[in-house]
Amino acid sequence: MTVTATSVDRQDQPEPPTAPPRGARLLRLVPAATAALSGVLLYVSFPPRTLWWLALPAFALLGWVLRGRGWKAGLGLGYLFGLGFLLPLLVWTGVEVGPGPWIALVVIEAVFVALVGAGVAAVSKLPAWPVWAAAIWIAGEAARARVPFRGFPWGKIAFGQADGVFLPLAALGGTPVLGFAVVLCGFGLCEAVRLGLRWRRTREVRRSAAAVALISMAVPVLAAVAARPLVSDKAEDGTATVAVIQGNVPRLGLDFNSQRRAVLDYHVRETERLAAEVKAGKVAQPDFVLWPENSSDIDPFANPDAAAVIEQAAEAIDAPISVGGVVERDGRLYNEQILWDPEKGATQTYDKRQVQPFGEYLPMRSLIGAINDEWTSMVRQDFSRGSEPGVFDFGDAKVGLATCYEAAFDWAVRDTVTHGAQIISVPSNNATFDRSEMTYQQLAMSRVRAVEHSRTVTVPVTSGVSAIIMPDGKITQRTGMFVADSLVQKVPLRSSQTPATKLGILPEIALLLVAAGGLGWAIGAGMRGRRAGGV
């Protein structure tokens, strides 16, 4: 007699796993989507928009998705935040060369944001976590500003705050302190909302946690208000009348380089037009004239015809001109500013020190050429770096020079002031980036630098936007894009130094130590927790 066990077997068999409901699966994507969208929100806070305050909810949302998570989740969510922020912010890098370099740049730069995300997740369980988290963000910016290829600081939080209430903090501690204040306020907002929701639910909130949230939001604002007297438009060493020339270019895009003589002639023509207005009494006589980067890509030391037309322009305006030239010396190529006196000719030079990778020189040339030989043809010869700060003597005025890309680097602007600059000039060439947001992002950097060092900043650009910026960061004159124009204004000469100028890199080092302390505490707490769990 056989006995069947079918019914028994069926009862003993485990139930097959059921797939989670579709709603639950979608819910898991919420943190990832929030991280990416909060990155986009941070991008929207940047120029040319004046929505600086959107940086606060952007970091509040980032804090919400990272708080309490493990470092691996923080790494992934941070990377998504970085992509959401940097992909639209840096789209201009692919205007003329296609999406390949743009995507590659963003993929690499977002790694730094991913590491920040892992760090923020690690410290988010600590008391006063917004402080540690904000310091970690600044540590990530410090790393991005130095590696790889000598760094790429574009997208520093400080550069999105030219219209914001926090801007005076630039004079207190430079871009690290300004950026720290914004991020701290954003993470503080996250903590305040979290505690508010807990209070509604449980009617219980720790006083210390509530105090941290309120202090994180209040102290940056109060510090910004207190820092306002650090910036002044007062003329300490008299005034100077400066002229900024925007000659324009024959056409947009990379092939403007093939029209080098035309670009030089355009700047000569605009300078002579201004000279005619001066002689007619319509415009004040300038003490000196500032031309943009690449205004003479023809080497005036090797080409007498280029030197002759520059001399012609200087004589017409009856003032020395700072000319942006491309100069070959001892077999090396330099992006050079040349002080051209109407009587003495070329008297001083400044060679750009922070040259742009993949734009002015090509790292790993052989490897890049193996991938795409068209990219190597765009940078046929690498530019060499200068070694000395640029400060031109225009009579009684000393003008510090930070050529284009250099304006993004704290040290490249600061050391012109510590070497005596009473005015800062940022000669630039943005013609290769069409009408993209790059011009406005760079202009905002110059506004932050004006406040940081309490100096007038002039921005002569080949194709616009050229501008004159007062020491309080306000633009008093500006040009349009892709038009020939000139700006003339009497500006204050200043020699006093702000705390940011005097302190230099020290505020950044202090914040790096805070970040390291927070991470050390979080790692130690995690190790103690694992040992306790093992026991």
Side-chain angles (χ1 to χ4, degrees), residues 9 25 38 41 69 103 149 165 219 309 351-352 389 391 397 477 498-499:
D9 291 344
R25 294 199 302 271
S38 58
L41 192 65
R69 296 185 182 274
I103 298 298
F149 313 124
V165 299
V219 168
V309 295
D351 297 323
K352 187 176 183 180
V391 180
Q477 292 191 63
T498 64

Side-chain angles (χ1 to χ4, degrees), residues 48-62:
R49 294 157 295 277
T50 57
L51 303 174
W52 56 270
W53 51 272
L54 285 178
L56 304 184
F59 279 104
L61 288 170
L62 178 64

Side-chain angles (χ1 to χ4, degrees), residues 458-484:
T458 62
V459 187
V461 185
T462 50
S463 56
V465 172
S466 300
I468 296 176
I469 305 165
M470 288 291 99
D472 61 359
K474 298 292 192 302
I475 297 175
T476 53
Q477 292 191 63
R478 63 189 295 173
T479 68
M481 293 185 72
F482 294 99
V483 294

Side-chain angles (χ1 to χ4, degrees), residues 313-345:
E315 290 177 351
I317 197 67
D318 192 25
I321 302 174
S322 178
V323 179
V326 173
V327 173
E328 188 168 354
R329 187 168 57 250
D330 300 325
R332 294 185 174 185
L333 206 60
Y334 293 92
N335 186 334
E336 189 167 87
Q337 290 291 313
I338 308 162
L339 176 52
W340 205 283
D341 187 88
E343 296 179 358
K344 301 176 183 178

